[in-house]
Amino acid sequence: IQLAARSKAPPARTAAMPSVPPARQSEAREEPPPEAPSVLVVDDDIPLVRALSRALRREGYRVRSASAFDEAQGLLASAPVDLLITDVHLGPHNGLDLLSVTELDHPTAPVLVISGGLSQPDVRRAIEGQVAGFLPKPFDIDQFMVAVRRALDEGRTARLQRALLRSRVPARMLEDLAETRQRFEASLRTLRLEMIPIVEGADGAAFGWEAAPCSHGPFADATTLLAAAEALGEVERLGAAVRSALVAAAAAHPDARGLFFVPLHPWQLLTHHLAQDPAFVALAPRVVLTVSERAQLTSVAQVSARLAGLRLSGFRVALRNLGEGYASVGWLQELRPEFALIDAPLVRLIDQDEARRELVETLLRICRRSRTRLIAEGVERPAERDALRALGCELTQGRLAAAPRSPLP
């Protein structure tokens, strides 16, 4: 959560209720254009709500306000919102409970919390949710407007990121969304997990399992399932189905050893559904959330903040596709994941290619400084495994290790 910077404005402007010049008659009549950002202000301090609303309107924003939790819920359900500003203490209600509404109906709308203080549980919920900033009371109007602009910038970035991700979806899925949905629903009903072994050392001791979603339906593999989910805005539903399948597989095979590497889409970090899935959280000590290359379309600071909350529950983190460009190495240094995976093209024929060996050796040195263990994917030949072991990479995955299994051995 970003804390708004302390303003250097004169002390006279600092108060629990910001001092806002009264609107002139001409300003009061002027309506913001339809494309102006829509802001919802929620606080049971009615004079404060009026002052903040007036300040926002003077800046050209479309503003609605509520002084009670139920009223705010109704406004969120009735029209789009670009930013929610709320106090935590709303009578008997907690303003952070509005996060569940924004995540469902307004998934890219950030939340700015204004409050006299947050409890530890509230801080954790804020980290896991869509909270873009926390502005402690009392504050002045300059601080407030800086925090508003920063939060709206984050919301615009989230919308652009979603549009960019959708642009990567095959055109045929977007041309007929009704058919795509029908095929997606059929695939979701028969979803299963293909467990791809990760082994350690020359003896191939089981270390973990990569949980790859697949289906007997029209979208049979993980790539097409994910593309359809992105096209339909159903990434969280797919994620929930994967979590449910993993919980069922783990319960059916209580003696299975090793960690579970579970794919994590960046859109799932915009909600706190994952952290509120009790059966999945119970598996947290054995779950490694694998951040895909799609996360690089988002802010590393945002991803790091969301993952920090999940790590508090016991989850570990893996970074996929290490070595594919400078960005992935930067993410390694920022996220400090427990594991990183290098893809098959970098591993293939590594025993015969000195350049590949030098690159993997460099990645291993970077990983050791970050206390990250490297996993090599796509190992198909004993010579490749031996070359990786000679460099210090003991964890491998591929046909040489074992074929994928469903659901578990």
Side-chain angles (χ1 to χ4, degrees):
I1 303 175
Q2 295 177 335
L3 297 180
R6 289 287 179 185
S7 172
K8 295 183 180 179
R13 297 190 68 191
T14 303
M17 185 178 74
S19 174
V20 183
R24 294 189 296 271
Q25 188 175 3
S26 60
E27 290 177 335
R29 289 196 303 266
E30 188 174 321
E31 288 293 330
E35 65 272 14
S38 172
V39 181
L40 175 60
V41 182
V42 185
D43 200 306
D44 57 6
D45 184 341
I46 295 177
L48 176 61
V49 168
R50 290 174 178 166
L52 297 181
S53 298
R54 189 165 68 244
L56 290 164
R57 289 191 180 97
R58 287 172 63 89
E59 293 293 323
Y61 299 119
R62 292 182 294 125
V63 184
R64 295 180 297 163
S65 62
S67 58
F69 183 87
D70 293 341
E71 183 185 5
Q73 276 188 314
L75 290 174
L76 284 170
S78 65
V81 64
D82 296 307
L83 172 64
L84 169 64
I85 302 171
T86 183
D87 193 0
V88 173
H89 308 292
L90 299 174
H93 297 283
N94 187 320
L96 293 179
D97 290 336
L98 294 171
L99 288 174
S100 60
V101 183
T102 58
E103 287 169 358
L104 181 63
D105 296 333
H106 315 280
T108 61
V111 178
L112 175 62
V113 174
I114 53 174
S115 182
L118 290 178
S119 65
Q120 281 301 113
D122 287 338
V123 169
R124 183 167 177 172
R125 288 184 64 190
I127 290 174
E128 294 169 351
Q130 292 173 252
V131 175
F134 169 62
L135 194 60
K137 296 178 180 179
F139 54 82
D140 66 37
I141 200 62
D142 293 327
Q143 286 178 285
F144 174 71
M145 294 310 305
V146 166
V148 166
R149 286 190 281 270
R150 182 184 296 143
L152 284 169
D153 285 344
E154 184 172 313
R156 290 189 196 96
T157 300
R159 288 193 294 277
L160 289 171
Q161 289 161 355
R162 285 201 165 216
L164 182 56
L165 279 171
R166 281 177 65 95
S167 72
R168 296 158 58 125
V169 173
R172 65 183 183 277
M173 288 188 176
L174 296 173
E175 289 168 358
D176 191 343
L177 286 177
E179 181 183 354
T180 298
R181 178 166 293 281
Q182 184 179 17
R183 292 161 65 87
F184 177 75
E185 296 293 343
S187 301
L188 208 58
R189 286 194 294 271
T190 59
L191 184 134
R192 59 191 176 87
L193 295 182
E194 199 169 63
M195 308 302 286
I196 306 173
I198 299 171
V199 301
E200 184 171 20
D203 60 352
F207 179 82
W209 308 88
E210 181 180 1
C214 54
S215 173
H216 294 298
F219 299 138
D221 59 84
T223 301
T224 53
L225 271 169
L226 181 56
E230 287 177 343
L232 299 168
E234 296 283 18
V235 168
E236 172 51 34
R237 274 191 68 206
L238 177 59
V242 170
R243 296 195 299 269
S244 178
L246 180 64
V247 169
H253 302 272
D255 297 328
R257 297 182 178 181
L259 301 174
F260 298 118
F261 288 72
V262 181
L264 181 69
H265 192 285
W267 291 0
Q268 292 177 270
L269 293 174
L270 296 177
T271 74
H272 56 268
H273 295 298
L274 191 154
Q276 292 185 346
D277 185 337
F280 187 66
V281 171
L283 285 177
R286 296 186 62 190
V287 171
V288 181
L289 301 172
T290 306
V291 180
S292 74
E293 71 280 2
R294 280 172 161 81
Q296 294 184 20
L297 298 174
T298 65
S299 158
V300 65
Q302 185 182 33
V303 171
S304 182
R306 300 296 193 259
L307 289 175
L310 294 170
R311 277 173 156 154
L312 291 174
S313 296
F315 293 103
R316 282 172 270 196
V317 176
L319 181 64
R320 183 175 288 285
N321 297 85
L322 181 64
E324 291 191 1
Y326 176 77
S328 66
V329 176
W331 276 65
L332 176 75
Q333 295 172 335
E334 291 291 334
L335 295 184
R336 303 282 174 168
E338 286 78 9
F339 302 93
L341 294 87
I342 52 175
D343 211 353
L346 192 56
V347 170
R348 191 170 298 120
L349 300 177
I350 192 172
D351 56 306
Q352 303 172 26
D353 190 328
E354 184 177 352
R356 281 185 169 89
R357 290 197 297 274
E358 289 178 355
L359 178 53
V360 171
E361 189 173 20
T362 299
L363 293 174
L364 279 164
R365 284 199 299 269
I366 295 172
C367 284
R368 290 189 190 105
R369 287 198 293 270
S370 302
R371 297 185 178 180
T372 299
R373 296 197 68 183
L374 195 65
I375 301 172
E377 296 185 291
V379 179
E380 299 185 354
R381 300 164 44 246
E384 292 169 343
R385 177 200 60 202
D386 295 342
L388 288 162
R389 289 194 66 223
L391 294 172
C393 180
E394 293 285 341
L395 297 176
T396 61
Q397 181 190 74
R399 293 180 186 175
L400 184 64
R405 305 169 188 177
S406 179
L408 278 174

